[in-house]
Every structure is written in structure tokens, then in C-alpha cells.
Amino acid sequence: MPHPTSTAVVTSCAHCGTGNRIPETRLSEGPKCGRCGRPVFSGKPIELNAETFDRVTGGDLPVVVDFWAPWCGPCRTMAPEFERATASLEPRIRTARLNTEDHRMIGARLAIRSIPTMVLFRQGRELARHSGAVPAAEIIRWVTTANNT
């Protein structure tokens, strides 16, 4: 039952992409998707595509997106670090990944010039950007700092 005095946020399910309205006070309680019944948060970055990008980055929760490509060595090195950072950032901040090789138009639209590049979004607006591979602790520090500004 929602808490009437708490603010609700809309965030996409990690599995089916459906938007779910969740009271902020209940984000850490393992909310389930109203459509598919699976956990809204999976502990792993959401794999984005052209159809899901705007919906996921346009939600109420901040979303940090890792722009990467399969041929990029630094991207492959950073992938497990980004996944480790996800475990610390969720549920207050979503994480997602977008393969720029498969979705070039989104990379071009956002002027992604080098990879890996992380971009922090809130309600569809870019808040901050960081290029280059970094360890999980640095990802967490950067996202936390950028989200508080």
C-alpha cells in the first residue's frame, strides 16, 4: 500500500521496460513490476536500445548510461566495474548500457565522441558526462557527486 505522504517516482522495469510508480520510501524494499511481476531493480545495468532509451532515461530516478561498443577494449574492461557500481547505486540511481555500434543514431544525437562514456540523466536531461574507463569506486564517486549538483 503506498504511503500517502511520500513522493512517488516513475522508473522502468529492468525486465519488461514498463514504467512503475513507486513511493520513494519503498524503493529499497524490492518493488515488483505491476506488469510482469518481476523485480523492478535487477542489480545489473539495463540494456538499452533505440526503443527503450528515451523511456528509461526520461524517468524520475537519475540514470547513468554507459555508452560502449563490443570492439572497444577499455569498454570491455569497464563493464564488470560498471556492474559492480550498479549494486551500490541501485535503487536510488539506475544504471544502463547502450551499444553505440548497434544504436549509432543515439550516440550521434548525444554527440558521443569517445567510448566508454558515461552520461547521467534525470527526466531526460543530461546532468553530467565522463569519458574513459574507471573502476567501480570512481564510478560511484562521480555519479554521487554529479547527482548532488
Side-chain angles (χ1 to χ4, degrees), residues 43 45 77-89 136 140:
T77 300
M78 193 173 94
E81 297 297 319
F82 194 71
E83 195 163 311
R84 276 192 277 285
T86 298
S88 294
L89 294 170
I140 294 164

Side-chain angles (χ1 to χ4, degrees), residues 33-96:
C33 176
R35 181 172 183 208
C36 73
R38 296 171 74 185
V40 171
F41 300 102
S42 67
K44 295 182 186 284
I46 299 170
E47 294 296 330
L48 298 176
N49 58 45
E51 293 77 39
T52 60
F53 182 82
D54 289 326
R55 181 177 17 166
V56 171
T57 60
D60 294 331
L61 284 181
V63 180
V64 61
V65 179
D66 172 24
F67 293 87
W68 68 285
W71 50 262
C72 169
C75 296
R76 290 193 310 269
T77 300
M78 193 173 94
E81 297 297 319
F82 194 71
E83 195 163 311
R84 276 192 277 285
T86 298
S88 294
L89 294 170
E90 280 190 347
R92 30 182 233 294
I93 297 172
R94 301 302 307 253
T95 64

Side-chain angles (χ1 to χ4, degrees), residues 3-17:
H3 299 143
T5 59
S6 68
T7 304
V9 296
V10 175
T11 190
S12 295
C13 173
H15 305 285
C16 72

